[in-house]
Amino acid sequence: MGIDNLPVALSVIRPELILAGTALVCIALDLLYKPADKMPCWAIAFFGCLAALAATIAAWGTEQEAFSQLVRMDNLSNFFAVVFLMAGMITLCLSASYVQREGLMAGEYYTLLLISMTGMLFMAQANDLMTVYLGIEIMSIPVYVLVAMMQKSPKSPEAGLKYLLLGGFASAILLFGIAFLYGAVGTTQLADILRHAPRAMRASDPLFLAGVGFLLVGMGFKVSLVPFHMWTPDAYEGAPTSVTAFMSVAVKAAGFSILIRVIVLTLHPMAATWSQIFWWLAVVTMVLGNVVALVQENIKRMLAYSSIAHAGYVLVALTTGSQLGVQAALIYLFIYSLMNLGAFGVIIAMSREGDQGVHIEDFTGIAREHPMYALAMAVFMFSLAGVPPTAGFIGKFYAFSAAIKAGYIGLAVIGVLMSAVSAYFYLRVLVVMYMKEPEAGPEYGAGPWGATVGAGVSVSLWVCALSILVLGIWPGWLNHFAHQALQGLGCLL
Amino acid sequence: MTSETLVLSILLFAIGATGFVVRRNAIIVLMSLELMLNAANLAFVDFSRQHMDVTGHIYVFMIMTVAAAEAAVALAIVVRIFRTRRVVNLDEINLMKG
């Protein structure tokens, strides 16, 4: 380590620096403009993300550690950065009109979104448990505020409080795990933990094993695996819909980025132990997520349980601990981001002020009044259910085939069965949209349905729907990038 | 690797976790959360001393900063809920269920 190296190493965290700088500019601009017109803040935030995305793509292929090996830029971190920034940009597009309609504080909203993304980028680049912890907190604390931000809904602060309490509980457990690992290994660098792991396994060092267990629990909370999922439905239901979209996609992907980095890659020597745990977690996550989603009436809550189930599918791929499995998980997360953002985009377009109209019944007959939105929703629902030729099928195909190749045939069978169950509640939305007559109440007939939606929502729906169809037909290039993302990580077998 | 300090920190963590699960007042739940974080701090300091390594101390500074930020946000949200609904009891903050 040397202080002299610091200026050079800044290039490793260039995307983070761009986002953090943009956040500062954004909050400063907020002071200059009237509450009614926050478009400059939006534009700055969007172009900041675009610049960070460009910096990430320009850095594709570089492999460098910096700040005494606290952060590490490699293709894996860059792949995740692309997912986060893409999700962030689509969220911004979905937010522009929504923020105005719901009277959210726009300057703060965009700033918090940017800071949260900064934390995610740090998580993806984590090379030391300290970066893992700080990344999680930089990501989570702004999201707690975003969830609790909506003035018009009494559910929003309640959701924020529940999310914060359980999120804080999870971080405390994670932190205790980090402390134990530090006690067992003597440092918290992932490379040192990787070196130490075989010895700790042979000696079955209780400190080390307890540390890993605590870490697993903490991360399980962040990606909402089943015994640790209690916060998810409430937080997703009460949050502003655009924030729900962001949480269900980017925050979850960020959780998986550290799960992959810390458990799957770093603790690879003890794969036999954690893959058993993952097996059970994946099964209960898929079963509970899909079964409880069946009975939900609120579509945000239904998608919350569906997002729990999707975390289960990703975990199926990770259970294998093989390169193919991690690759499948990356592909799944990328595809899942697009389809889930799209589905929430349609909900934003179809809902009304005060977050009204988010029940599945409210979608009755919208195919007649809003054929394009209904069509887009149909694409997203088919994709979430995993019906070919949509991308959702490709994601599930890779995940389950990785499990079968690694010999987890039972797990793959349960996964396929649960996808079949999920088809019921996804297709129910389609039935309601296409096969039922709209009720002729004044509430639905005369109200400005979707009229408050700006161009941003339509553009992002087009982008999501088209890329889902394109990816469903030509998945090769995504597979190629996911493959490249794992090169240079020699520890995978 | 076990020391009295580590035992104390595990005890504190257990007390904090129990308080988090059992108590229903939002403020006390937050206090339990702080207790858990400080238990982790104590463990870090203890291991730092055992390994004669400074990393653990740095963790403590980071954790204190983060805990302060988290508490600020948490209290702000609790105050907002209290202003509109006059409750701080988690059992009564239950608009959403299922």
Side-chain angles (χ1 to χ4, degrees):
Chain A
M1 151 179 174
I3 296 296
D4 317 337
N5 294 339
L6 284 183
V8 184
L10 284 181
S11 69
V12 173
I13 56 162
R14 191 174 286 138
E16 285 95 328
L17 289 176
I18 293 174
L19 279 187
T22 313
L24 292 179
V25 174
C26 195
I27 198 76
L29 268 186
D30 180 48
L31 300 173
L32 301 179
Y33 289 90
K34 287 195 187 75
D37 180 35
K38 295 291 188 190
M39 271 318 275
C41 293
W42 184 89
I44 284 286
F46 188 81
F47 286 108
C49 290
L50 205 61
L53 188 64
T56 305
I57 291 171
W60 185 262
T62 55
E63 224 175 278
Q64 201 186 346
E65 292 176 355
F67 301 106
S68 343
Q69 282 106 53
L70 276 174
V71 291
R72 172 194 166 88
M73 178 183 253
D74 53 21
N75 276 353
L76 183 62
S77 81
N78 283 333
F79 185 93
F80 271 110
V82 169
V83 174
F84 303 151
L85 292 166
M86 181 191 74
M89 280 159 65
I90 296 177
T91 308
L92 281 171
C93 288
L94 294 177
S95 304
S97 56
Y98 184 81
V99 164
Q100 214 160 24
R101 187 183 82 192
E102 302 293 345
L104 302 177
M105 288 177 283
E108 286 86 339
Y109 178 95
Y110 299 131
T111 309
L112 290 169
L113 216 53
L114 289 170
I115 296 173
S116 172
M117 276 190 267
T118 314
M120 291 173 189
L121 295 186
F122 273 120
M123 284 165 78
Q125 293 194 344
N127 198 32
D128 187 304
L129 292 176
M130 189 182 289
T131 324
V132 169
Y133 172 67
L134 289 179
I136 288 180
E137 294 299 336
I138 298 173
M139 169 189 82
S140 302
I141 295 178
V143 177
Y144 301 147
V145 182
L146 283 171
V147 170
M149 206 174 195
M150 192 147 64
Q151 306 272 359
K152 290 180 186 169
S153 158
K155 283 181 185 175
S156 170
E158 175 180 330
L161 184 65
K162 285 179 178 171
Y163 185 30
L164 186 145
L165 289 179
L166 286 169
F169 189 61
S171 331
I173 293 175
L174 185 100
L175 209 52
F176 213 54
I178 295 177
F180 275 21
L181 280 182
Y182 174 59
V185 179
T187 78
T188 52
Q189 279 191 355
L190 297 187
D192 292 327
I193 296 173
L194 174 65
R195 264 196 298 280
H196 188 88
R199 205 177 336 141
M201 276 307 284
R202 267 197 308 279
S204 56
D205 181 359
L207 212 52
F208 190 85
L209 294 180
V212 173
F214 279 129
L215 274 187
L216 261 179
V217 173
M219 289 175 190
F221 266 105
K222 291 294 165 192
V223 298
S224 57
L225 299 176
V226 152
F228 320 114
H229 69 287
M230 317 71 107
W231 58 273
T232 317
D234 288 348
Y236 283 18
E237 184 187 339
T241 311
S242 52
V243 177
T244 312
F246 183 70
M247 281 162 70
S248 71
V249 166
V251 173
K252 189 165 289 236
F256 272 112
S257 81
I258 52 165
L259 195 72
I260 289 174
R261 188 76 87 172
V262 177
I263 307 288
V264 178
L265 297 179
T266 305
L267 296 175
H268 202 264
M270 50 189 295
T273 312
W274 55 249
S275 70
Q276 267 176 330
I277 301 171
F278 275 18
W279 195 96
W280 282 107
L281 287 177
V283 169
V284 289
T285 306
M286 287 189 295
V287 170
L288 189 129
N290 282 316
V291 169
V292 182
L294 287 174
V295 296
Q296 298 305 319
E297 290 305 321
N298 183 315
I299 194 162
K300 283 166 84 175
R301 214 172 167 83
M302 182 199 95
L303 284 177
Y305 281 106
S306 127
S307 87
I308 293 173
H310 283 276
Y313 302 138
V314 178
L315 206 62
V316 167
L318 292 180
T319 303
T320 63
S322 63
Q323 173 158 11
L324 212 59
V326 180
Q327 202 175 319
L330 296 184
I331 294 171
Y332 201 97
L333 285 169
F334 188 95
I335 291 172
Y336 166 75
S337 306
L338 287 170
M339 54 199 191
N340 226 34
L341 283 170
F344 278 111
V346 177
I347 298 174
I348 288 176
M350 292 295 114
S351 61
R352 278 156 289 132
E353 194 182 334
D355 226 17
Q356 300 291 310
V358 291
H359 285 265
I360 296 177
E361 303 309 311
D362 297 326
F363 283 69
T364 308
I366 64 164
R368 183 163 305 167
E369 284 174 72
H370 302 281
M372 290 313 285
Y373 286 128
L375 191 64
M377 194 62 160
V379 171
F380 302 134
M381 288 296 133
F382 275 127
S383 187
L384 284 166
V387 176
T390 56
F393 170 73
I394 301 296
K396 285 206 176 104
F397 175 77
Y398 279 121
F400 295 150
S401 62
I404 288 172
K405 273 187 192 140
Y408 293 98
I409 294 170
L411 191 59
V413 169
I414 297 172
V416 172
L417 285 178
M418 282 301 126
S419 320
V421 171
S422 77
Y424 177 82
F425 57 82
Y426 292 129
L427 299 188
R428 182 172 156 219
V429 178
L430 293 192
V431 171
V432 165
M433 285 194 307
Y434 279 94
M435 296 177 191
K436 282 191 180 168
E437 289 297 311
E439 287 168 40
E443 202 185 349
Y444 300 126
W449 259 65
T452 49
V453 163
V457 176
S458 335
V459 170
S460 34
L461 289 184
W462 273 109
V463 169
C464 291
L466 286 180
S467 35
I468 283 170
L469 292 174
V470 168
L471 269 172
I473 299 166
W474 295 284
W477 59 272
L478 180 59
N479 192 13
H480 174 72
F481 279 120
H483 184 72
Q484 277 196 346
L486 294 176
Q487 272 169 0
L489 299 164
C491 50
L492 270 182
L493 295 176
Chain B
M1 282 297 201
T2 44
S3 64
E4 291 84 353
T5 327
L6 183 62
V7 173
L8 176 63
S9 106
I10 292 174
L11 273 177
L12 281 177
F13 190 83
I15 294 171
T18 315
F20 184 91
V21 176
V22 174
R23 300 302 291 264
R24 296 330 298 160
N25 185 314
I27 307 287
I28 296 186
V29 169
L30 283 171
M31 287 160 62
S32 308
L33 205 58
E34 296 291 319
L35 196 59
M36 289 169 73
L37 290 175
N38 283 320
N41 277 345
L42 194 61
F44 271 115
V45 174
D46 178 40
F47 288 130
S48 202
R49 191 183 148 78
Q50 285 184 24
H51 291 298
M52 284 303 176
D53 177 72
V54 80
T55 316
H57 295 288
I58 299 171
Y59 267 99
V60 173
F61 283 121
M62 298 291 181
I63 294 166
M64 289 195 312
T65 317
V66 168
E70 211 162 47
V73 170
L75 290 175
I77 296 176
V78 171
V79 166
R80 238 202 88 188
I81 293 176
F82 185 75
R83 271 199 196 141
T84 50
R85 297 180 29 204
R86 298 278 145 194
V87 285
V88 285
N89 188 324
L90 290 176
D91 288 334
E92 291 169 48
I93 304 177
N94 57 357
L95 289 176
M96 293 172 288
K97 266 187 187 156

